[in-house]
Amino acid sequence: MESSDIRIVTWTVTAADAAAFSASGESAAAHPSIAGSISNPSMVSARSGRTPLTVERFLRAKGCSHHVLTLLKRTDHGILLNGVWAYGNQPVHPGDEITIRVEEAAGSEQILPRPLPLTIVYEDEDVLVADKPADMPVHPSAGNYENTLANAVMYYYSAKGIPFVFRCVTRLDRDTTGLVLLAKNSLSSAILSGQSAHRQIHREYLAITEGKLPESGTIDAPIARVEGSALMRCIDPEKGERAVTHYQRLALFGRKPPASAWHPDVMVSGTSEACTDPMEPQPLPEVLSLARIHLETGRTHQIRVHMKSIGHPLPGDFLYNPSSVCARTPRQTLHAHRLTFAHPVTGETLSFVSDLPADMRNLLENDYLASPDPFP
């Protein structure tokens, strides 16, 4: 389904909606004489001890932010109650229909459309889920104005003649691959941002770590910016923000033996001996672990910092494990594997999966031995 600069959404008020706004479990509809005799419905709360459900309260409960409500009030017929233009303080009852009209005035004109790789996993009127490749920043920044996911998405919509505002709900580091969630209008952005703030968007990662990772565990260690660095993070119990990472080891991988015991100095393609840095040769570790990781919080570089802190850094991580960067591991071995969230309008649970990318799979299959079919 293609996006549009106008999104019209209709919700039906249920008895549960009305009851949730009444301290006594009763709705304003149960007292028509009171509602009809008071010009200001909000006074019902003060005089009867009940909180009436109004148009604005209903929309806030659905996740509409102050910004979205302001836009709706400024839009011609932006809010309708049973098909009639409505005010925010009008009471609503079970069975009523509330329709909103969300309009996008213009797209993200500062982001240049560029024909870059874009894999769309799912798209409807409200959300887009993309599978981001490695070496692609999400947002434009200094030195990265035309090579980002934002540039690719803007090209996709400009080719359709659709104005689009780039709103990224879940973000990934430049060299982390996998699923990214975008909101396609201000309404879905507000609702999904609320879900994110309440940790209701669930992300699962696959990571390759050095060494024999414990079978499972939780890392609860606060993360802060490294003093004097604009990029690096570190564990800092005093200044850091709480960060919690849960992990489960899926498989262990041992390095394959050299291809030829008679010619140990010969580097054979397809073995770990070929993975060295020409400036400072560093062989791959003897043991790697494949792990499933779930984030309880979402701090910058959280997985990379946490795994290093317990002695199991990610191969290819130029910031936190620079000696491991080589031809076989040119990027951190981290992939956003699964994304689960409630659809911002329908409430339906959506879940998407992106398989382990080829570079991570090739590292394990070409250079290591493991139990049969270790991949999830």
Side-chain angles (χ1 to χ4, degrees):
M1 184 180 299
E2 293 187 358
S3 174
S4 172
D5 58 347
I6 298 176
R7 176 68 169 110
I8 297 175
V9 176
T10 298
W11 285 298
T12 300
V13 181
T14 67
D17 294 325
F21 282 83
S22 175
S24 63
E26 299 174 52
S27 70
H31 299 275
S33 60
I34 295 178
S37 64
I38 299 176
S39 58
N40 184 355
S42 64
M43 292 181 64
V44 173
S45 176
R47 296 191 180 187
S48 68
R50 290 183 296 274
T51 303
L53 179 58
T54 63
V55 169
E56 183 165 335
R57 286 179 180 273
F58 177 86
L59 292 177
R60 283 190 177 278
K62 285 296 184 182
C64 292
S65 64
H66 174 76
H67 173 69
V68 171
L69 287 171
T70 299
L71 292 177
L72 292 175
K73 292 173 183 178
R74 292 175 179 174
T75 301
D76 185 28
H77 290 80
I79 304 175
L80 302 179
L81 175 58
N82 298 322
V84 179
W85 198 354
Y87 292 97
N89 64 354
Q90 288 182 235
V92 297
H93 310 116
D96 285 344
E97 287 191 345
I98 296 178
T99 300
I100 61 174
R101 179 187 179 94
V102 181
E103 296 186 5
E104 297 286 3
S108 299
E109 297 178 357
Q110 74 280 12
I111 301 178
L112 302 174
R114 291 293 181 264
L116 300 171
L118 178 63
T119 300
I120 295 176
V121 176
Y122 176 81
E123 181 183 12
D124 63 22
E125 290 179 295
D126 300 293
V127 299
L128 183 146
V129 178
D131 198 343
K132 189 186 81 66
D135 195 29
M136 176 182 277
V138 171
H139 292 93
S141 60
N144 296 289
Y145 294 114
E146 301 183 37
N147 60 335
T148 71
L149 179 65
N151 298 119
V153 172
M154 293 308 296
Y155 181 84
Y156 172 71
Y157 286 110
S158 65
K160 296 173 177 286
I162 297 173
F164 187 79
V165 178
F166 186 77
R167 300 180 176 97
C168 188
V169 180
T170 62
R171 303 175 183 179
L172 296 176
D173 296 334
R174 175 177 184 146
D175 281 331
T176 298
T177 54
L179 300 173
V180 177
L181 174 60
L182 306 181
K184 292 181 60 175
N185 52 63
S186 57
L187 173 65
S188 60
S189 178
I191 296 173
L192 290 170
S193 294
Q195 288 185 23
S196 179
H198 290 90
R199 300 175 184 173
Q200 295 169 339
I201 297 177
H202 303 287
R203 291 182 287 172
E204 181 183 291
Y205 294 78
L206 295 176
I208 298 173
T209 71
E210 294 189 359
K212 185 178 180 180
L213 188 70
E215 289 188 1
S216 63
T218 296
I219 307 168
D220 188 342
I223 293 177
R225 188 189 301 271
V226 172
E227 187 173 353
S229 174
L231 189 59
M232 290 191 71
R233 300 311 197 260
C234 64
I235 303 296
D236 190 331
E238 294 183 359
K239 300 179 182 178
E241 295 181 284
R242 186 166 188 249
V244 181
T245 300
H246 306 281
Y247 65 85
Q248 176 189 6
R249 191 185 73 213
L250 300 176
L252 282 173
F253 296 80
R255 250 180 67 180
K256 290 180 180 179
S260 173
W262 299 102
H263 302 282
D265 295 330
V266 176
M267 294 194 302
V268 180
S269 176
T271 72
S272 57
E273 308 307 316
C275 185
T276 57
D277 187 309
M279 300 299 294
E280 186 178 353
Q282 295 288 341
L284 288 170
E286 290 297 325
V287 176
L288 294 178
S289 299
L290 177 65
R292 176 185 290 122
I293 297 178
H294 167 67
L295 296 183
E296 191 172 313
T297 56
R299 309 302 176 200
T300 300
H301 298 172
Q302 179 172 321
I303 294 175
R304 299 161 66 184
V305 172
H306 269 177
M307 299 315 290
K308 178 186 177 182
S309 74
I310 63 171
H312 296 282
L314 275 56
D317 192 333
F318 76 99
L319 276 180
Y320 305 104
N321 193 16
S323 65
S324 69
V325 178
C326 64
R328 281 272 193 244
T329 55
R331 69 171 182 98
Q332 65 260 17
T333 49
L334 184 60
H335 178 66
H337 166 63
R338 187 184 301 272
L339 176 66
T340 304
F341 59 96
H343 190 279
V345 173
T346 68
E348 177 189 2
T349 298
L350 300 178
S351 187
F352 305 97
V353 170
S354 171
D355 292 336
L356 197 69
D359 58 348
M360 291 175 63
R361 184 182 287 268
N362 289 340
L363 169 65
L364 298 176
E365 291 181 338
N366 292 341
D367 295 284
Y368 289 83
L369 296 172
S371 56
D373 195 21
F375 302 108

